[in-house]
Amino acid sequence: MSTEEKSSAEKSSVPDGSPVLYRPEDLARITEDLPFIRTIADWCTEFLSKPHPDLGRGGSVCPFIPRALAMNRVSFVVLHTANRTEAEIDGIIASYRQTILDMEPRSGQEAIDKAIMVILPDVSGEDAAEVVDETHRRLKAEFVASGLMIGKFHPRSEQGGLHNPGFRPLRSPIPLLAIRHMVDSDLPFLNRVDDPVPDRIKFLESYGQRFEDAEESRWSEKGRAAIGELRVRAESDK
């Protein structure tokens, strides 16, 4: 991890009430990055946290984000990708798996209400579909295996909503990847038809391990049925 990203990660994990220390060399980066953070913070408040007539269901566009914002559990980091290799970018983003797991609180219901928004301002709108989607594809299995979700957002996202395929809930003003803890209602995101069957099996196996001791719900029943169907399909494809 570079010094820049390490510094941001450390500041994200500072305990509540502790002072955040800034050095003179931080000021130029803060000045450069603050507009990107404000843009995404406003988008979280004005779009993700509110209902939308095209959503296809009641409630906010993202059911998770209003509570996380209200509890001050959403962290933002700006990752500059210019002049960095694909491997370097993947490594920095992957490091935030441990960052979010280490952030307080680490147990209880409130431990779930945390998110890290990794903002990618150097990625152009023209390149976002390739860069963001492919980065997400490469890293998704690692995050899911850790009991985490990683979401892909950018201005040209064509991913339809679960309840209205014509709605585009993943369009953000700046490309980003969002990291949060997995919840049982994430099942549909782990069994998308546009992911290869072997990947979907791995995702669902991780999902099952994550909630194996949880109380039975409609999601756990659907999860068992889905992985059974995919395993049959995988065998028939051999």
Side-chain angles (χ1 to χ4, degrees):
M1 184 188 301
S2 70
T3 301
E4 175 184 340
E5 279 71 41
K6 184 176 180 182
S7 176
S8 296
E10 288 171 348
K11 289 170 185 174
S12 295
S13 58
V14 170
D16 291 345
S18 298
V20 178
L21 306 178
Y22 296 101
R23 295 177 292 273
E25 65 184 29
D26 295 327
L27 298 181
R29 178 174 54 81
I30 293 168
T31 301
E32 178 185 7
D33 291 349
L34 188 57
F36 306 129
I37 296 171
R38 287 192 183 279
T39 296
I40 295 303
D42 289 345
W43 171 74
C44 288
T45 301
E46 299 301 323
F47 178 72
L48 291 184
S49 295
K50 293 186 176 180
H52 193 284
D54 297 330
L55 184 58
R57 59 163 173 78
S60 58
V61 171
C62 175
F64 169 86
I65 205 71
R67 178 177 169 85
L69 285 173
M71 297 181 69
N72 200 31
R73 302 290 188 203
V74 180
S75 300
F76 303 91
V77 62
V78 178
L79 172 55
H80 290 284
T81 56
N83 302 316
R84 284 192 164 117
T85 67
E86 180 181 285
E88 287 174 332
I89 295 167
D90 285 0
I92 293 167
I93 296 171
S95 73
Y96 291 116
R97 285 185 299 153
Q98 196 59 46
T99 300
I100 195 169
L101 293 172
D102 289 342
M103 288 167 60
E104 296 291 348
R106 300 187 191 184
S107 61
Q109 177 57 40
E110 290 188 359
I112 304 299
D113 299 313
K114 298 181 291 189
I116 297 176
M117 299 288 191
V118 184
I119 306 168
L120 307 169
D122 298 344
V123 178
S124 68
E126 292 78 10
D127 295 336
E130 178 180 354
V131 175
V132 178
D133 290 357
E134 285 302 302
T135 302
H136 175 269
R137 180 190 60 77
R138 292 192 301 270
L139 297 178
K140 183 175 179 178
E142 297 178 24
F143 279 85
V144 171
S146 299
L148 301 170
M149 298 294 291
I150 181 168
K152 53 181 180 178
F153 298 82
H154 57 81
R156 298 191 178 186
S157 173
E158 290 299 322
Q159 182 71 63
L162 290 177
H163 300 274
N164 177 7
F167 182 52
R168 300 290 182 263
L170 305 187
R171 286 185 176 173
S172 58
I174 303 173
L176 66 91
L177 291 161
I179 303 165
R180 63 170 174 80
H181 280 272
M182 186 188 297
V183 296
D184 61 352
S185 57
D186 283 323
L187 177 64
F189 301 111
L190 301 174
N191 192 27
R192 288 192 177 276
V193 295
D194 48 350
D195 285 325
V197 169
D199 289 350
R200 291 158 66 187
I201 290 174
K202 290 179 183 178
F203 299 156
L204 293 176
E205 287 174 342
S206 296
Y207 175 90
Q209 292 169 4
R210 169 78 174 166
F211 298 108
E212 62 183 353
D213 296 326
E215 184 177 340
E216 280 291 305
S217 71
R218 65 189 180 95
W219 294 112
S220 55
E221 183 178 342
K222 287 183 177 181
R224 285 193 297 271
I227 197 169
E229 292 172 2
L230 288 175
R231 284 171 175 161
V232 170
R233 180 174 169 183
E235 284 298 319
S236 66
D237 290 342
K238 287 183 179 179

